[in-house]
Amino acid sequence: MTDPEPTVYEALGGPEPFALLVEAFYRGVETDPLLRPMYPEDLGGARERLFLFLLQFWGGPPLYNERRGHPRLRMRHFPYAIGPAERDAWLKHMRAAVDEVGIPEPSRTKMLQYFEQAAHFLMNREDTP
């Protein structure tokens, strides 16, 4: 019998890489003229929510669900106009964060594939004005 493959959370050794990823991602968002207006002035809450979501999604503790309930990503993002430009900007910052943190393979590929799918899934406009 073979051991089950570790979760991304286990493979990365716990929460620290996710905290670094979130910080790197939001450094990009802070200066992005397209994305920054979509966030509140204080990014602390957004940072915490993304951190908790990523921990849970990648096999860590279910803290997001405990604090906020089911993620319901489409519903939570619907108030924001997310078209191709917003999707691409978000992906640019997330890819840069993954690279900056140095997420190792195979976790890197798994994460980038998920982020690509999620970014497309959250689009709610064909094009934004």
Side-chain angles (χ1 to χ4, degrees), residues 33-79:
L34 189 60
L35 296 182
R36 185 61 183 100
M38 298 172 85
Y39 289 87
E41 185 176 328
D42 179 359
L43 292 172
R47 282 184 170 100
E48 180 183 14
R49 289 186 295 275
L50 180 58
F51 173 68
L52 295 176
F53 173 78
L54 293 176
L55 288 183
Q56 178 174 304
F57 184 83
W58 294 109
L63 301 175
Y64 187 96
N65 275 13
E66 290 173 9
R67 295 181 191 174
R68 296 193 39 95
H70 189 280
R72 301 180 305 219
L73 293 179
R74 280 190 62 89
M75 182 197 81
R76 292 184 194 273
H77 289 82
F78 188 76

Side-chain angles (χ1 to χ4, degrees), residues 1 17 37-38 44 66 69 87 97 104 110 121-122 124 129:
M1 181 191 254
M38 298 172 85
E66 290 173 9
R87 174 203 61 207
K110 290 177 185 177
F121 175 73
L122 294 176
N124 55 27

